[in-house]
Amino acid sequence: MGNVFRGGGDSLSLSNGGTDVFVDVLTLAVSDLARDAWDYRFAALLTLQDQNVMGRGAVGFDLEEIDWGATGAERARAKRFVVRAAELALRRHRWEELGYEPPYAEGYLRRFKAMVEAYDPEAFGREAYDPEAHGPEAYGPEAHDPAACPAVRHEGLFPGADQAAVASCVRHRVLSALPFWEGCRFCTAD
């Protein structure tokens, strides 16, 4: 059983071990780059990829499930953050702390980075909000406002501000899902 990360018609299918490696190296980069509220929400999405907590073969996400922001500027900034995190991970940032050599991680990261670069959150947002095609009732009482539409906000799929990964594991120096879980992804693997 494996896990799939999708976006813009492309996908990165990984074995359970490959997923662990991919999320490990991306977590190290995201933890060191996170500065804004959205960054910590993306870090929380990565905490949900911990197979030791969520189950083997039960993780992965689609770029279309991510709330990239309400404005073009917010979406561009969020996308730049994810690309920067992938680039930092590709430079083998903190890999010496892993305790293992991830021989395929660079390929996973290159593929993921290309997926994010090719993905257009602006286009998805316009497609997702289409009251002409589905009728305003499909979007609820806020159908006149695309930013308020759950199909655009991806409500429930991408961690909200109250679920952001703002706690840091002292031992491993990475963002974690504390207090929801007892440790970071590296703690649960020990």
Side-chain angles (χ1 to χ4, degrees), residues 83-169:
V83 169
R84 282 182 32 241
E87 288 171 343
L88 182 60
L90 274 164
R91 291 193 300 269
R92 304 174 73 84
H93 178 71
R94 294 178 55 189
W95 286 17
E96 70 280 359
E97 298 173 32
L98 291 172
Y100 62 87
E101 181 61 32
Y104 305 109
E106 289 177 352
Y108 304 154
L109 289 164
R110 276 193 293 278
R111 179 79 177 268
F112 179 71
K113 179 179 173 263
M115 285 171 41
V116 174
E117 288 173 330
Y119 180 71
D120 182 4
E122 296 276 341
F124 179 75
R126 285 191 302 272
E127 291 170 13
Y129 180 73
D130 187 359
E132 297 294 322
H134 305 290
E137 64 280 352
Y139 301 103
E142 304 291 332
H144 62 281
D145 180 7
C149 169
V152 174
R153 287 191 332 238
H154 311 290
E155 195 168 276
L157 300 174
F158 187 68
D162 59 330
Q163 300 165 319
V166 294
S168 182
C169 173

Side-chain angles (χ1 to χ4, degrees), residues 14-122:
L14 299 173
S15 66
N16 291 329
T19 299
D20 287 339
V21 169
F22 171 67
V23 178
D24 282 354
V25 297
L26 198 54
T27 295
L28 292 169
V30 165
S31 294
D32 286 356
L33 287 177
R35 298 289 178 269
D36 292 337
W38 189 92
D39 308 346
Y40 293 100
R41 291 176 64 200
F42 185 77
L45 179 64
L46 291 182
T47 68
L48 295 174
Q49 311 313 304
D50 187 344
Q51 296 181 95
N52 294 313
V53 175
M54 304 301 286
R56 307 298 282 171
V59 302
F61 58 83
D62 192 314
L63 297 177
E64 293 174 354
E65 296 172 349
I66 295 175
D67 175 1
W68 293 94
T71 68
E74 289 173 350
R75 290 186 285 272
R77 191 236 167 255
K79 183 176 173 176
R80 275 192 312 273
F81 173 79
V82 178
V83 169
R84 282 182 32 241
E87 288 171 343
L88 182 60
L90 274 164
R91 291 193 300 269
R92 304 174 73 84
H93 178 71
R94 294 178 55 189
W95 286 17
E96 70 280 359
E97 298 173 32
L98 291 172
Y100 62 87
E101 181 61 32
Y104 305 109
E106 289 177 352
Y108 304 154
L109 289 164
R110 276 193 293 278
R111 179 79 177 268
F112 179 71
K113 179 179 173 263
M115 285 171 41
V116 174
E117 288 173 330
Y119 180 71
D120 182 4
E122 296 276 341

